[in-house]
Amino acid sequence: KAQSLTADYTAYDGSVRTVDFGKLSLDLSAKAWGFAGASLMLARDLTLDQATGYTSLSGIDIAERSGDLAKFDLFVGAQAGCKLSGQLFWCPPPGVVPPAPIPNRAFDSQWRPLAKLDMEVAAAVGASFSGNLKLRIEGGRFLLSLKGSLVWGVGFKGYMTFEVGYESVIALLELVRKEMAANRYQDLDWVDGEALAYVRNLSFLGAVGVDVAFVYVRGYAVVKEIYGQLTDGGRGGLIAYKLVQNRTQRVMEDWVRNLQPQAFGPLLLALSSAPKSFSVTEEQGVRSFNETQAHLLQQQAIERCVGWISRKSDACQQFEEAVICMNRDGTRPISAGLAYCKNKARLDLFMAEQIDAFDRVSNERRARYRQCVSTLGARLNGYCEYSKAYAGPAFAPVEEIKTIYKGPNID
């Protein structure tokens, strides 16, 4: 019976945190020329040694139930005439309930394929980093490296690396986002910078209704291109349209509620961009929206998003950090307090615009937004001071908002 894999890492404040990675099951198949019984069923005495650049294994032949330890030295390559292949299956921890893919692809079992064994990559891992586990990017795919002593029933000498497959990428994203929330939305020392950016991009796409598993298969370049197009401005209406559709509300709420600020910030930025007309294809045909309608949709989506997160225990911190990260890259800039004030003002001005004074539903929606962000931003709102300034020629001055942050240092 598989047991949960746990690994320690250094948290944002220097303390040691433990991440529950769930359960792993390694399914290996060995084909050896010159050996009888080449198909092995391996159990807890299995050893995988990658220190030499080869893979060897020894284990109990469960098929015979003899109880004696049968040892096989099986090396990849012509030396032993052996081919070793395998697949890692993953059962995510109970606290990780990944949002449904778009369209929904539900698994009948909690166990799902995590990765296929990559022998060439695995042999090269070990000296490049230290720690219990590492998530990185290579060739446009997530590579998960595990230290051998972590896996119950399997003792690795060094590291084994797996390329994460599309079947488990959504649950992996949710696990990383959950752990980032526990780490006060700071970067995780076991996820490298490029992998964190990829997690951000895929999380953003999931929140706007893109099929994450599908685009992950298409590759890193495709994901990056789609993310760039959606955050380039002028597509806020199209994103809002997807977020407010009743038939996808539960799925969208699951994605948005669990967004890390590095992805939530770019989403709020896109939704508060200048509205533009757009068209969508529905079952009844093509439907067009003008700028006014797009603005109303974007206001509706913003109010819905902040409302979704407001019921969480860490909602205030998630909101603060998301507003700070309201830029295309989702980064936390220096002078974070000033960034919060400027971006919060941008959101408020966008939501304050009254499109139709007689639209009761729209007016109530904007009132709910004001109440919600007043609560979510209560810690920092009072430190923001705004004043009007005018620039340009005297006959045609341009009004500008001057922003000052007078609160504690939150960098």
Side-chain angles (χ1 to χ4, degrees):
K1 183 180 179 181
Q3 296 181 353
S4 290
L5 180 156
T6 59
D8 295 336
Y9 70 92
T10 303
Y12 73 99
D13 57 358
S15 63
V16 176
R17 275 193 53 81
T18 300
V19 54
D20 181 358
F21 197 78
K23 301 175 183 179
L24 297 177
S25 173
L26 182 61
D27 181 14
L28 288 176
S29 175
K31 295 182 180 180
W33 295 270
F35 287 94
S39 179
L40 307 177
M41 295 180 65
L42 303 171
R44 63 182 307 159
D45 293 302
L46 172 66
T47 297
L48 298 174
D49 185 353
Q50 303 234 323
T52 62
Y54 298 103
T55 297
S56 63
L57 53 93
S58 62
I60 299 176
D61 188 351
I62 300 298
E64 295 182 4
R65 298 289 177 185
S66 64
D68 296 328
L69 185 64
K71 293 186 178 180
F72 303 87
D73 290 323
L74 305 176
F75 295 93
V76 174
Q79 296 179 20
C82 171
K83 180 180 180 181
L84 182 65
S85 60
Q87 192 169 19
L88 189 67
F89 291 86
W90 181 34
C91 179
V96 174
V97 182
I102 308 294
N104 184 26
R105 294 193 186 99
F107 284 91
D108 295 330
S109 170
Q110 290 181 324
W111 288 93
R112 71 221 35 224
L114 175 64
K116 291 183 178 180
L117 181 62
D118 188 331
M119 303 307 303
E120 294 180 357
V121 172
V125 173
S128 60
F129 63 86
S130 60
N132 290 320
L133 72 163
K134 191 74 173 180
L135 186 65
R136 57 195 177 93
I137 295 292
E138 189 167 302
R141 294 287 188 270
F142 284 119
L143 295 184
L144 176 66
S145 297
L146 303 172
K147 196 171 185 178
S149 58
L150 295 177
V151 184
W152 179 86
V154 180
F156 294 140
K157 296 178 181 178
Y159 293 85
M160 182 68 83
T161 294
F162 293 88
E163 179 184 295
V164 178
Y166 74 92
E167 300 98 332
S168 288
V169 67
I170 293 175
L172 179 65
L173 294 176
E174 183 65 11
L175 178 71
V176 173
R177 291 197 299 268
K178 177 176 177 287
E179 203 56 36
M180 288 186 70
N183 198 42
R184 296 184 65 85
Y185 295 109
Q186 302 299 309
D187 292 349
L188 302 170
D189 70 352
W190 55 274
V191 184
D192 78 4
E194 190 177 14
L196 277 173
Y198 204 19
V199 169
R200 175 206 64 206
N201 291 1
L202 289 170
S203 299
F204 176 93
L205 296 185
V208 300
V210 176
D211 186 337
V212 171
F214 176 76
V215 294
Y216 178 71
V217 171
R218 296 290 299 275
Y220 183 85
V222 172
V223 171
K224 188 175 181 180
E225 181 181 0
I226 297 174
Y227 175 85
Q229 290 177 352
L230 290 176
T231 58
D232 196 28
R235 298 181 186 269
L238 186 61
I239 294 173
Y241 171 82
K242 186 64 178 180
L243 283 168
V244 301
Q245 292 302 296
N246 290 330
R247 64 180 180 273
T248 59
Q249 280 300 281
R250 179 62 183 273
V251 174
M252 296 294 95
E253 181 177 356
D254 284 345
W255 277 102
V256 172
R257 287 184 75 249
N258 296 305
L259 275 184
Q260 66 274 40
Q262 294 83 350
F264 198 7
L267 177 60
L268 292 175
L269 178 71
L271 289 173
S272 59
S273 64
K276 293 183 179 180
S277 58
F278 68 97
S279 299
V280 295
T281 301
E282 299 180 339
E283 293 180 359
Q284 298 81 6
V286 177
R287 182 180 178 186
S288 298
F289 296 83
N290 59 32
E291 289 185 9
T292 298
Q293 293 169 322
H295 199 145
L296 287 171
L297 276 176
Q298 289 171 234
Q299 288 181 335
Q300 181 181 358
I302 291 173
E303 184 272 328
R304 192 160 293 184
C305 286
V306 296
W308 281 337
I309 72 165
S310 66
R311 297 185 289 272
K312 296 177 59 180
S313 59
D314 66 343
C316 293
Q317 184 183 14
Q318 185 182 11
F319 175 77
E320 287 179 7
E321 292 296 325
V323 173
I324 291 170
C325 294
M326 274 180 61
N327 53 75
R328 289 190 65 191
D329 296 326
T331 55
R332 198 178 197 275
I334 57 174
S335 302
L338 181 60
Y340 173 86
C341 293
K342 288 183 175 180
N343 293 334
K344 173 68 164 40
R346 171 179 177 155
L347 268 180
D348 290 347
L349 287 173
F350 185 86
M351 292 298 294
E353 190 165 347
Q354 191 176 47
I355 309 303
D356 184 351
F358 300 101
D359 188 339
R360 180 180 58 84
V361 174
S362 174
N363 292 334
E364 290 176 351
R365 182 182 301 127
R366 293 185 300 109
R368 286 196 302 270
Y369 164 83
R370 289 192 297 271
Q371 177 61 41
C372 193
V373 298
S374 174
T375 301
L376 293 176
R379 186 176 77 100
L380 297 180
N381 288 344
Y383 297 124
C384 298
E385 293 187 2
Y386 305 100
S387 59
K388 293 181 180 180
Y390 295 90
F395 62 88
V398 177
E399 183 179 284
E400 296 179 347
I401 302 296
K402 185 178 180 180
T403 306
I404 300 176
Y405 173 73
K406 291 190 174 182
N409 184 6
I410 57 173
D411 290 341

